[in-house]
Amino acid sequence: MTINQNTFTGEFLYSLDAKGRVNIPAKFRNVLTADNEQSFVITRGMDLCVWVYPAKVWQSIEDELRKLSSLSRINRSFVRSTVRYASLVQYDKQGRIAVTPNLIEYAQLGKESLIVGMVNKIEIWNPKLLDTVDKESQNIDAAQFDELADQIIL
Amino acid sequence: MTINQNTFTGEFLYSLDAKGRVNIPAKFRNVLTADNEQSFVITRGMDLCVWVYPAKVWQSIEDELRKLSSLSRINRSFVRSTVRYASLVQYDKQGRIAVTPNLIEYAQLGKESLIVGMVNKIEIWNPKLLDTVDKESQNIDAAQFDELADQIIL
DNA sequence: ATACATTGTGGGTAGTTGTGGGTAATAATC
DNA sequence: GATTATTACCCACAACTACCCACAATGTAT
């Protein structure tokens, strides 16, 4: 029995094998609702990582994109950039998904890959890259962090 | 019969066993409402300790995080840092929860662990660390303490 | 004072989970 | 159309986790 449906939290150091497969943590699979099935959309993250959305969640993003008129140049470019690298995948009987070569290259993924829950989506990181991104953020964003932390009572 | 629902007070020196399990004090379990069941979210504390939230309390934090758009770099970073070390756990029939190796390392927990009530959440400490943190605070924060004491009539 | 229930602690066992690799089916290339 | 490359499916195994039972210590009720 799970309480938090569709909520991904925690980090897991898993291996990306020779065939480009990574395991979806059991804790993540267990919070997926029936209609999410085993379908995911994987795409480029806005940071140097791979984003993995449950298909149903991605669906709602697509619905938003549909509303953007192609008359606007910014809209066209926004739609293009978000959809361009997205592909639909399913996990196998062992619970793994295959990451496409161009995404592996983009996120510079090696054998040691870090799976990070991001509430409504999952990120796959090269641990070293996440480390540097983390440190950069600590220096630059400290003030805004405090602001956010004030709004959200931890 | 309980008076204060969901209010954790007091401290308990319990043992973290070889399997990484700690007991949730009976006094705390008795204070949990039905919808909290036996689910908790454990994560890194802002001090060097482990924070344990009743699942329902954590839920409201997640709801806030969901509102933050991933288009903003700061938002991504904030969501990641708050969710990254969090994991949903349930207590077993003996009333214990399993603390993940990550968190044990972070809070430097040994066999002797101190469970501390923090009103809406629970902290797990290495007793020695709490001691030093306490003393530091007494030296540095005396002035601000007085300010708070003005707001809260003890 | 004694019997009973509750609470904290330890450990065994069966099932689950993560990982690697072999084989067959499908797709792509020449 | 034949050959190669890629993908999906399957099996196997080790490591880990969750569940269960046991027991001692403490607290409570009769």
Side-chain angles (χ1 to χ4, degrees), chain B residues 73-143:
Chain B
R73 187 173 56 80
I74 292 152
N75 284 355
R76 292 196 299 273
S77 185
F78 183 77
V79 170
R80 194 180 300 118
S81 67
T82 63
V83 158
R84 183 172 174 192
Y85 303 104
S87 66
L88 184 69
V89 297
Q90 328 221 109
Y91 61 69
D92 61 20
K93 277 201 176 143
Q94 283 69 255
R96 292 169 294 190
I97 58 169
V99 183
T100 59
N102 271 327
L103 293 174
I104 291 177
E105 196 192 335
Y106 170 75
Q108 301 171 39
L109 298 179
K111 187 160 188 328
E112 307 245 298
S113 292
L114 198 63
I115 319 296
V116 183
M118 283 283 281
V119 185
N120 67 333
K121 60 176 168 287
I122 301 164
E123 288 183 345
I124 308 175
W125 280 91
N126 175 331
K128 286 183 183 172
L129 285 182
L130 178 52
D131 234 50
T132 51
V133 168
D134 247 10
K135 280 174 189 162
E136 278 174 26
S137 172
Q138 273 174 28
N139 297 330
I140 304 169
D141 305 329

Side-chain angles (χ1 to χ4, degrees), chain A residues 79-150:
Chain A
V79 171
R80 192 181 304 120
S81 67
T82 61
V83 164
R84 184 170 174 194
Y85 302 103
S87 64
L88 186 69
V89 297
Q90 327 220 108
Y91 60 71
D92 63 20
K93 275 199 177 145
Q94 282 72 256
R96 292 169 293 193
I97 58 168
V99 183
T100 58
N102 46 43
L103 289 176
I104 291 176
E105 196 192 335
Y106 170 75
Q108 301 171 40
L109 298 179
K111 186 161 188 329
E112 306 245 298
S113 292
L114 198 64
I115 319 296
V116 183
M118 283 284 281
V119 185
N120 67 335
K121 61 175 165 289
I122 300 164
E123 289 183 344
I124 308 175
W125 280 91
N126 175 330
K128 286 183 183 173
L129 286 182
L130 177 52
D131 234 49
T132 50
V133 168
D134 248 9
K135 281 175 188 160
E136 277 176 23
S137 172
Q138 272 175 29
N139 295 331
I140 304 170
D141 305 327
Q144 286 101 322
F145 259 57
D146 288 349
E147 252 177 66
L148 283 170
D150 252 16

